[in-house]
Amino acid sequence: MSSKEYDLTPNKTAPEPFFEIFTNRFVSRTRKSINTEDDIFECDCKPHLKQYCGDGCLNRRDSVECDPRKCLNGDKCQNRRFQTQTWANVETQKAGKKGWGLYAKQSIAKHTFVIEYCGEIINQVQVQQRLKERYYGSRKFFILSLGGGDFIDATMFGCRARFMNHSCDPNCYVEPWMVCGERCIGIFAKRRIDEGDELTFDYQFQRYSEDYRHPCFCGSANCRKLLGAKANRTNQGHN
């Protein structure tokens, strides 16, 4: 296919409708529950020393959110950003050939939690079924691997993170976190982001075959031209 056939320039004033959710919706299984105190990760932050689960929190260092049942900081705990939906202020705008995109409505500091990637939790079998039936012939589906045989499908049920486009030089990175027994996907700022900037991450897209080539429209100086092309090692990481 030519690049014109992948041109998703919006011709409407608003994106196609979807069901907006703010936490994952479990389809292939039920949400896990933590029934014993032994399964709860407990940090050693000390409220009397004004340690409110910031950067020094043991849980936070391990990408685990504090459980309100065990954290001594209570409502002062700063390590419950997924649970409290402490997201950056963002908005959806047209993004040229890429279709719609997600843009910052505020300046965002490096490593700040931007948004959670929410959607329906499905398994591998359901992924294949949806690709063959529900999304057959469509280029507008939003599925991320969550690990452990789970996938997040934000196509019909999702949050605004579904509008984030790929970039070969992204300003955000994806990081898995453990939240109350469930793995979640958080999107964080890779560098300082200014108000009005488009928010992007590297899809790490893998082609099913060499015959499937999706052009990249990110426009960055180090653009790999095709989704799925191998990245230069010097451009990887988010330190």
Side-chain angles (χ1 to χ4, degrees):
M1 290 187 178
S2 67
S3 60
K4 289 183 178 180
E5 293 177 87
Y6 288 99
D7 188 340
L8 299 176
T9 301
N11 56 13
K12 297 181 180 180
T13 58
E16 295 181 0
F18 68 101
F19 296 96
E20 188 170 14
I21 58 177
F22 300 93
T23 187
N24 287 327
R25 180 174 183 262
F26 289 79
V27 176
S28 62
R29 61 175 177 82
T30 58
R31 184 186 295 271
K32 296 175 183 176
S33 59
I34 300 178
N35 297 317
T36 65
E37 291 190 358
D38 291 339
D39 294 327
I40 298 175
F41 292 90
E42 186 175 359
C43 68
D44 62 354
C45 295
K46 298 175 176 59
H48 68 280
L49 296 179
K50 297 184 178 180
Q51 298 173 351
Y52 299 133
C53 305
D55 292 338
C57 176
L58 292 178
N59 280 347
R60 193 163 182 159
R61 289 180 181 178
D62 291 335
S63 300
V64 176
E65 282 213 334
C66 292
D67 191 304
R69 293 173 292 179
K70 293 291 287 186
C71 183
L72 297 178
N73 277 309
D75 292 339
K76 292 184 178 180
C77 175
Q78 298 173 7
N79 186 35
R80 294 179 58 210
R81 295 169 293 177
F82 286 77
Q83 297 171 66
T84 58
Q85 296 161 14
T86 306
W87 300 350
N89 192 7
V90 298
E91 66 179 351
T92 305
Q93 294 181 16
K94 293 181 179 181
K97 291 182 180 180
K98 295 177 287 185
W100 295 89
L102 196 67
Y103 291 77
K105 291 188 68 177
Q106 65 175 86
S107 60
I108 303 172
K110 183 178 180 179
H111 296 319
T112 296
F113 179 45
V114 177
I115 195 170
E116 179 183 355
Y117 195 98
C118 299
E120 294 182 289
I121 303 300
I122 59 177
N123 57 33
Q124 180 69 53
V125 172
Q126 290 169 318
V127 169
Q128 296 302 322
Q129 288 176 338
R130 293 186 179 196
L131 290 177
K132 291 179 180 178
E133 300 170 7
R134 186 180 299 181
Y135 308 142
Y136 180 77
S138 173
R139 296 191 298 275
K140 296 180 180 179
F141 53 87
F142 311 90
I143 301 176
L144 283 184
S145 174
L146 186 57
D150 288 333
F151 296 81
I152 304 177
D153 184 359
T155 308
M156 296 301 297
F157 291 83
C159 68
R160 284 175 288 178
R162 70 196 287 279
F163 291 107
M164 290 184 69
N165 287 308
H166 164 84
S167 176
C168 299
D169 184 23
N171 55 15
C172 295
Y173 62 92
V174 172
E175 189 171 82
W177 275 64
M178 190 63 67
V179 182
C180 295
E182 286 286 357
R183 184 188 294 258
C184 295
I185 294 295
I187 296 174
F188 296 79
K190 187 176 182 180
R191 53 180 177 266
R192 176 183 166 80
I193 299 171
D194 293 326
E195 182 178 353
D197 287 351
E198 183 181 3
L199 301 167
T200 59
F201 67 93
D202 190 335
Y203 283 2
Q204 300 288 324
F205 182 80
Q206 298 296 317
R207 295 192 301 271
Y208 287 103
S209 72
E210 289 299 319
D211 296 328
Y212 187 78
R213 293 175 178 269
H214 194 303
C216 178
F217 298 125
C218 75
S220 62
N222 63 333
C223 180
R224 306 194 291 270
K225 307 302 181 184
L226 294 171
L227 296 182
K230 292 183 179 180
N232 187 318
R233 289 184 180 180
T234 59
N235 294 324
Q236 295 180 337
H238 52 258
N239 294 327

